[in-house]
Amino acid sequence: MRTKSKEIKDAIKSYIEQVASSGGNCPSYSDISDVVGTSKSNVCRYIAEMESDGELVKTDYGFVTNKMGRAASDTQTVPILGSIPCGLLEEETEYVEGYYNLPTSFIGSGEHFLLRASGDSMVNAGIDDGDLVLIRRQEEADDGDIIVALADNLSTLKRIYRDDKRKCVILHPENDYMDDIIVKDCYIQGVAVKIIKDIKRNV
């Protein structure tokens, strides 16, 4: 049993490290369960024991192993600038809700901020209501990028596409039941690069 227990713990740590090194979001208990080959409830018990033993630490951006913690000693403080509607354009309200300390290796280069997603228009892109979306501040974006768009002092989080023929910008929701938003132009405040989920919702 001890050997099996150690094997499962090592497999859990290895998978979390693998996902982190590929730049993905922290895996859910269900994700870990599928990869490790044990039940979700069993994964919960193992992770609780590993937290108690100091093999895993829960941070603002997910679980960190000892190996990841050493690699992520260089951190940046990223502000949470309120919420961003994942639906129709809404009045922009930017204020500092709080701060997260995130590893530089997780963030990458550039200036970043976090927005809390509001609504369900981007669910097909994996962005659910309440998720924190890491935004790299920039004024340019490629077609297909998920951006923070500002048009007529109203903002939203959508994929951007440009229609040169109609001379307009298409703000596309990732929800099969929602229509595109068509605007003449928009100001790009940043591009989404990561999604940070509350792992407790996946228990």
Side-chain angles (χ1 to χ4, degrees), residues 54-187:
E55 296 180 68
L56 285 179
V57 176
K58 187 179 181 183
T59 70
D60 291 333
Y61 55 92
F63 286 112
V64 172
T65 67
N66 292 334
K67 180 179 177 180
M68 289 166 61
R70 289 192 296 270
S73 58
D74 183 17
T75 63
Q76 293 183 30
T77 300
V78 182
I80 307 171
L81 301 182
S83 63
I84 181 73
C86 294
L88 296 175
L89 291 168
E90 293 183 10
E91 184 176 356
E92 181 196 20
T93 55
E94 182 175 300
Y95 61 94
V96 178
E97 178 184 306
Y99 296 90
Y100 269 13
N101 287 322
L102 299 174
T104 301
S105 59
F106 177 82
I107 298 172
S109 60
E111 182 184 353
H112 294 76
F113 58 93
L114 289 159
L115 292 173
R116 194 175 301 280
S118 174
D120 61 359
S121 77
M122 298 301 288
V123 291
N124 290 348
I127 302 175
D128 297 308
D129 184 56
D131 287 347
L132 285 176
V133 184
L134 181 65
I135 307 294
R136 183 172 59 243
R137 195 183 292 276
Q138 60 186 68
E139 297 180 4
E140 300 291 333
D142 296 326
D143 278 10
D145 283 346
I146 296 175
I147 66 163
V148 179
L150 179 65
D152 298 327
N153 293 320
L154 302 174
S155 63
T156 191
L157 185 72
K158 293 287 180 292
R159 285 199 192 277
I160 185 172
Y161 295 98
R162 298 166 180 87
D163 189 329
D164 294 333
K165 186 176 181 179
R166 291 191 290 170
K167 295 182 180 179
C168 66
V169 173
I170 301 169
L171 301 176
H172 176 69
E174 287 288 346
N175 185 316
D176 297 337
Y177 300 99
M178 294 186 177
D179 296 327
D180 292 338
I181 297 172
I182 311 296
V183 295
K184 289 184 178 180
D185 198 6
C186 70
Y187 173 63

